[in-house]
Amino acid sequence: MSIKTTCPYCGVGCGVLIEKTAQGGVTVTGDPEHPANFGRLCSKGSALGETLDLEGRLLAPQIGGQPATWDTALDLVAEKFRGAIRDHGPDSVAFYVSGQLLTEDYYIANKLMKGFIGSANIDTNSRLCMASSVAGHKRAFGADVVPCSYEDLETADLVVLTGSNLAWCHPVLFQRIAAAKEARPEMKIVTIDPRETATTALSDVHLAIAPDGDVALFNGLLAHLEASGAIDRAAVARHVEGLEQALIAAQASDLSKTGLSAAACAEFFDLWAKTPKVVTVYSQGVNQSGSGTDKVNAILNCHLATNRIGQPGTGPFSVTGQPNAMGGREVGGLANMLASHLDIENPAHRSAVHTYWKSPRICTKPGLKAVDLFEACAQGKIKALWVISTNPAVSMPDADFVADALKTVPFTVVSDIVARTDTGDLADVLLPATGWGEKSGTVTNSERRISRQRAFLPAPEQARPDWQILCQFAAKMGWGAQFSYATPAEIFREYATMTALSRRFGRALDLTGLAQLSGAGYDALEPVQWPVSVEGPRQDAARFFGTGGYFHPDHRARMVPVTAPDLKAVKGAFRLNTGRIRDQWHTMTRSGKSARLSAHLAEPFVEIHPEDAADLGVGAGELLMLSGGRAQGVFRALITTRAARGQLFAPMHWTRQNTRSSHVNALTLRTTDPVSGQPALKSGSVAARRYEAKWYGYLASVNAIDLDGLTNGEYAAKARTVTGYQAEIAGLHAAPSGDALTALFRQMTGRTLGEIAQVSDVKTGQTRLALTHEGQLVAALFMGPAPVSLSRAAVINTIGTQTPALMALAGRASAGMVDDGAIVCACFSVGVNALTRAIEAGAQSVAELGERTCAGTNCGSCRPELAAFLKVARPRIAAE
Ligand code: SF4
């Protein structure tokens, strides 16, 4: 029998089915009955089964790097927190948690900190994801409510995607839109993004906006809506305040700040104005900005002014990055909120929560938001910190500052599933948490749909659920009676019951209809959108605000006058945009385990425009050194017109665990949005120069690769492969040779035994080494003065085989072996060479590529890239 659970990655919240195999493994498929995905999964979801092994897991508590019992570890944690609170007050301690947590975990962490410790110093990595949307919603609607449902994306006549590479970051939603467009080609997709992406490739219109030009663009749209008579004045009169002030601000806005031509703006405005059914989707490109909240309100203003909200196929739609960012918001997972969508600043709300929890105290003021929290750490104000299920030492802006700040905190606890993370390496105590397949609870996706995560694996060794760890800590602090839950179902019931407070104070969140769920009912809970009222499911739960009913005291929405920020270009600096890639998740602690996922983009890169690369003297395959703030990082130059001139894009996934110096968030600044406190992670300003490598290398190995033998200043990045591991390396100084080279080869591959064969190519200056042990090729290393050009797929395929050393060192597919080239389709490992062969054989469409190679026929995440590849490759092949 299959087990229904939910994908733990992005905010789409896809349902998955787990089947246990006879060999003890699991298969993961999309749940055809789940309303988020109807059976679809993206590449990451499809590869979940490959991330479940225990390699690298934290399986027992550790104190100072040494194993400890749970009792000893939690005694120490309680002693340190109690001591800090006694000597320095409740605000001297803090929790930093995660949108990866289940709602039940989140609820307990909040109750503990805000009601029992008595501080609001609990913030979450969701601050980095969607705090600006929360603030914008509250300003406009009076509550943090997402008014739309996914089906609105399919029924809209115009979908505007702004600040969202949906094709890579929310692939299943993008597939739903793409399928709707295929069925109704007249449906239009407009993507607003400074760079070309997989999403822009499938859009009707790409507006390559200037970074942070969104307020100017949507202000311009609002002014156009007024000028063209598209404002619904009757609806505004019934439901909305602030139109005139918002219009004055919009009409004063300077359209040139968009960086777009007047004609491009006019075309977009006209399309928007004339299309009643429009959904505007926004994500991190809007939120992660110094003007993020204003951007959100600029978008909401246009929808409120035209009453394009709450009707099928309409609305502003914030899609969250994390799987449970929404659940965290519901239970007060941000430092400035109380559980159940109540406000810390409101004495009546505080009193109600205090009474409901029967807690000894209640926080009296907002706590420290993420950036402020780590600054407080650096200032010595935080004496005990607990980081749960997240990795701030690499994911926060100015990450090296945060890592240094963590080193100064007198006592740091990290709960995680992974033994080695950049943050865990700095902790005094490590606590082993259960992972995705072992956890039970609920998550809420971007359309307010609550789904169950169900455990299908036993907790390994000493790992425990986060809620249980926190409850055991609470007991040691003396609050055992109030944290004596036996199951997550009990916690969920308490939380659902608590939403009666939200109702009492006229807020949107309502789960009272789930408050009486039995254990069996909780186990069987089907995906459900809130509100779920005690009076029964609301017929129109899919949408809010179709007939007004906003959550300000007068039940009217607010249009907020917003001013476009000045776009400051720093002379000589590049604008650094950061983001995600299709096949990795956050800091790769899970997705990095899958060789298939690592095959798509295997090393940290930076997209740079060809003319900028030429100006810097950087050629194909060479490396770029970026300097920003006080950090430097080295990245492979991906020279492409996808990047605009003067702009760079680098993904945020790589850490100190898999590279030497390529964690891009070290280069970003601690600038935040003044309203939401969300960091402006897409607004880095960096200097770039060619990394003057004296040598480049490529290593493939059966064994895990150790990068520690490389000295400072050298570039190194490693990844999984289907036969083991690979690493790209380079150095600024003379390449090691002779015994030093063979010693480095053995040290990096952890091999003291085995014979090394070595060949040198005088013409290219390349040195190639193969390490064979008992007839098996266990590693191969290619070093040369230029970027190593060889078929990595061919080399990887020889590792672990009996391939003779000299044949492997050819670095290309040998007779009888097919070289598929760089991987495009992760599900079926289809590379560019295989796609080229299919096009040569007559494939003319994405569907025909799929028929011939299987590419794009499983999860579909690569279809935008297949389309882009066809567009470029077909004319080239036809001309040959
Ligand atoms: Fe998981 Fe992909 Fe669905 Fe996101 S779109 S929830 S990553 S399967």
Side-chain angles (χ1 to χ4, degrees):
M1 203 183 82
S2 57
I3 297 167
K4 290 186 172 211
T5 184
T6 313
C7 174
Y9 291 129
C10 82
V12 180
C14 296
V16 299
L17 297 179
I18 303 294
E19 301 269 0
K20 302 239 175 130
T21 64
Q23 294 72 36
V26 299
T27 60
V28 179
T29 53
D31 180 353
E33 294 174 354
H34 196 289
N37 56 319
F38 296 107
R40 298 176 178 92
L41 290 179
C42 75
S43 50
K44 294 183 285 292
S46 300
L48 273 167
E50 295 160 38
T51 65
L52 300 174
D53 65 64
L54 296 183
E55 189 184 331
R57 279 290 295 267
L58 178 65
L59 295 168
Q62 291 179 14
I63 298 174
Q66 299 302 313
T69 64
W70 268 110
D71 231 23
T72 315
L74 286 178
D75 277 342
L76 180 64
V77 177
E79 178 195 320
K80 295 291 184 183
F81 270 72
R82 206 182 294 114
I85 295 165
R86 181 192 59 230
D87 297 341
H88 305 281
D91 289 334
S92 69
V93 303
F95 292 167
Y96 185 65
V97 302
S98 164
Q100 308 291 305
L101 290 178
L102 304 184
T103 301
E104 292 76 1
D105 302 322
Y106 245 132
Y107 178 83
I108 293 299
N110 271 283
K111 179 175 173 180
L112 184 52
M113 180 55 80
K114 289 176 180 156
F116 288 78
I117 290 174
S119 169
N121 280 348
I122 170 167
D123 213 44
T124 160
N125 61 9
S126 294
R127 176 75 59 193
L128 281 53
C129 168
M130 48 72 220
S132 297
S133 284
V134 175
H137 288 160
K138 289 178 84 167
R139 289 203 307 195
F141 306 149
D144 175 25
V145 176
V146 174
C148 303
S149 286
Y150 294 161
E151 65 190 41
D152 294 319
L153 297 168
E154 295 162 323
T155 53
D157 295 322
L158 169 62
V159 175
V160 178
L161 300 160
T162 182
S164 164
N165 183 7
L166 206 72
W168 276 18
C169 300
H170 300 90
V172 164
L173 282 191
F174 191 74
Q175 287 171 37
R176 287 182 65 163
I177 295 171
K181 185 167 170 58
E182 211 170 309
R184 286 191 301 124
E186 67 277 13
M187 175 186 182
K188 292 276 183 284
I189 303 173
V190 174
T191 300
I192 301 165
D193 197 311
R195 66 187 187 112
E196 286 178 32
T197 65
T199 306
T200 63
L202 279 196
S203 301
D204 297 287
V205 178
H206 171 209
L207 296 176
I209 195 169
D212 285 337
D214 313 58
V215 174
L217 183 68
F218 282 91
N219 266 352
L221 173 59
L222 183 62
H224 174 84
L225 294 170
E226 164 70 355
S228 60
I231 289 183
D232 186 338
R233 294 218 166 243
V236 168
R238 279 197 306 276
H239 304 307
V240 181
E241 291 291 319
L243 170 64
E244 300 312 325
Q245 296 90 328
L247 273 176
I248 291 168
Q251 286 157 343
S253 214
D254 177 0
L255 213 51
S256 71
K257 289 182 178 178
T258 63
L260 300 166
S261 69
C265 291
E267 195 185 340
F268 169 61
F269 295 165
D270 194 47
L271 180 64
W272 209 100
K274 288 181 175 158
T275 314
K277 289 172 75 172
V278 54
V279 174
T280 307
V281 177
Y282 53 98
S283 190
Q284 265 62 304
V286 164
N287 294 332
Q288 289 179 338
S289 162
S291 55
T293 308
D294 282 352
K295 289 184 186 185
V296 170
N297 285 107
I299 294 167
L300 302 187
N301 283 347
C302 295
H303 282 270
L304 289 170
T306 51
N307 198 29
R308 292 174 185 178
I309 186 166
Q311 323 287 339
T314 70
F317 201 162
S318 151
V319 289
T320 61
Q322 298 211 71
N324 199 29
M326 292 282 276
R329 282 146 76 167
E330 291 157 15
V331 297
L334 293 163
N336 50 322
M337 296 164 68
L338 282 174
S340 199
H341 276 194
L342 300 180
D343 299 326
I344 291 177
E345 292 94 335
N346 185 319
H349 290 193
R350 285 202 307 271
S351 167
V353 172
H354 191 179
T355 305
Y356 181 75
W357 279 340
K358 298 185 182 65
S359 59
R361 52 192 72 83
I362 191 76
C363 57
T364 53
K365 62 180 192 302
L368 294 165
K369 296 172 183 154
V371 169
D372 301 333
L373 170 58
F374 291 104
E375 287 183 348
C377 289
Q379 292 157 3
K381 293 178 182 164
I382 300 298
K383 309 296 181 188
L385 173 71
W386 193 338
V387 177
I388 304 178
S389 191
T390 184
N391 200 355
V394 69
S395 57
M396 285 292 294
D398 200 356
D400 289 352
F401 166 85
V402 171
D404 287 346
L406 285 169
K407 288 176 201 161
T408 68
V409 176
F411 184 71
T412 304
V413 190
V414 170
S415 314
D416 209 305
I417 65 168
V418 179
R420 295 284 315 273
T421 68
D422 290 7
T423 305
D425 284 357
L426 305 174
D428 297 287
V429 173
L430 290 176
L431 300 175
T434 45
W436 169 63
E438 303 136 19
K439 292 181 78 149
S440 183
T442 56
V443 289
T444 309
N445 72 3
S446 296
E447 60 168 356
R448 291 174 278 105
R449 191 175 299 282
I450 298 168
S451 297
R452 282 293 321 273
Q453 258 193 31
R454 295 182 173 89
F456 56 88
L457 294 170
E461 299 194 14
Q462 297 191 52
R464 292 179 181 175
D466 288 294
W467 65 265
Q468 201 174 70
I469 298 170
L470 288 160
C471 287
Q472 287 163 345
F473 163 76
K476 288 191 183 289
M477 295 289 284
W479 305 309
Q482 296 95 331
F483 289 88
S484 60
Y485 310 94
T487 63
E490 278 183 40
I491 302 169
F492 183 83
R493 274 195 293 275
E494 180 176 309
Y495 155 53
T497 306
M498 188 182 192
T499 61
L501 299 183
S502 164
R503 281 169 57 118
R504 190 205 301 169
F505 290 106
R507 296 300 167 98
L509 182 67
D510 184 357
L511 303 186
T512 52
L514 302 173
Q516 302 302 322
L517 273 186
S518 64
Y522 179 77
D523 283 345
L525 182 66
E526 295 287 340
V528 59
Q529 271 181 300
W530 63 258
V532 193
S533 156
V534 70
E535 290 87 17
R538 227 178 75 172
Q539 291 305 309
D540 56 350
R543 288 171 203 92
F544 272 88
F545 312 134
T547 53
Y550 294 93
F551 294 96
H552 286 294
D554 58 4
H555 304 297
R556 295 168 70 77
R558 301 285 186 274
M559 286 177 65
V560 181
V562 286
T563 305
D566 289 326
L567 306 176
K568 293 186 205 105
V570 181
K571 201 164 180 294
F574 285 88
R575 171 90 178 211
L576 176 66
N577 182 1
T578 63
R580 293 174 176 163
I581 60 173
R582 190 190 76 191
D583 287 355
Q584 293 296 347
W585 179 255
H586 283 194
T587 57
M588 287 197 220
T589 50
R590 290 174 296 178
S591 55
K593 286 186 159 199
S594 164
R596 276 197 296 144
L597 295 180
S598 297
H600 181 228
L601 291 165
E603 68 175 322
F605 65 87
V606 58
E607 289 182 356
I608 182 169
H609 190 277
E611 290 171 29
D612 287 330
D615 288 350
L616 297 174
V618 177
E622 294 188 338
L623 295 159
L624 263 178
M625 168 83 86
L626 305 185
S627 310
R630 56 190 193 146
Q632 291 190 323
V634 185
F635 304 82
R636 187 73 60 183
L638 187 54
I639 301 170
T640 170
T641 52
R642 289 198 296 271
R645 278 218 77 176
Q647 296 178 32
L648 305 173
F649 170 81
M652 46 75 80
H653 306 289
W654 278 270
T655 71
R656 299 174 190 86
Q657 305 297 321
N658 47 27
T659 67
R660 287 198 64 84
S661 60
S662 311
H663 48 291
V664 73
N665 282 334
L667 306 172
T668 58
L669 302 175
R670 279 175 274 141
T671 310
T672 58
D673 177 90
V675 182
S676 69
Q678 177 155 357
L681 279 162
K682 292 178 175 291
S683 308
S685 179
V686 296
R689 62 183 165 86
R690 185 173 180 269
Y691 177 88
E692 302 290 348
K694 292 281 188 302
W695 58 271
Y696 296 83
Y698 173 74
L699 171 63
S701 166
V702 164
N703 296 82
I705 293 172
D706 179 0
L707 303 181
D708 289 345
L710 296 164
T711 53
N712 277 341
E714 285 170 341
Y715 168 77
K718 63 183 176 181
R720 288 284 181 109
T721 68
V722 287
T723 56
Y725 299 82
Q726 64 177 341
E728 301 283 349
I729 54 178
L732 288 170
H733 307 292
S737 60
D739 290 348
L741 179 57
T742 52
L744 179 65
F745 187 26
R746 287 190 184 281
Q747 187 266 327
M748 289 183 74
T749 55
R751 288 270 173 181
T752 51
L753 301 176
E755 306 82 50
I756 292 178
Q758 181 170 335
V759 295
S760 297
D761 183 333
V762 180
K763 211 165 107 195
T764 63
Q766 208 173 70
T767 302
R768 304 175 175 202
L769 296 88
L771 179 50
T772 307
H773 184 55
E774 296 177 347
Q776 185 192 41
L777 181 77
V778 294
L781 173 64
F782 301 76
M783 304 267 287
V788 177
S789 171
L790 52 78
S791 168
R792 280 146 175 83
V795 175
I796 289 166
N797 285 338
T798 63
I799 298 299
T801 70
Q802 309 281 324
T803 304
L806 291 180
M807 195 180 285
L809 292 181
R812 59 178 182 270
S814 55
M817 258 175 73
V818 178
D819 177 11
D820 276 350
I823 297 299
V824 177
C825 170
C827 294
F828 294 108
S829 299
V830 183
V832 289
N833 295 348
L835 295 171
T836 302
R837 288 192 292 270
I839 294 170
E840 285 167 350
Q844 300 202 25
S845 65
V846 170
E848 287 174 13
L849 279 178
E851 281 164 24
R852 288 169 192 268
T853 66
C854 291
T857 59
N858 182 38
C859 76
S861 302
C862 64
R863 280 189 204 132
E865 284 159 287
L866 295 177
F869 185 75
L870 264 171
K871 212 160 126 185
V872 175
R874 272 189 65 210
R876 178 176 50 77
I877 291 167
E880 282 169 359

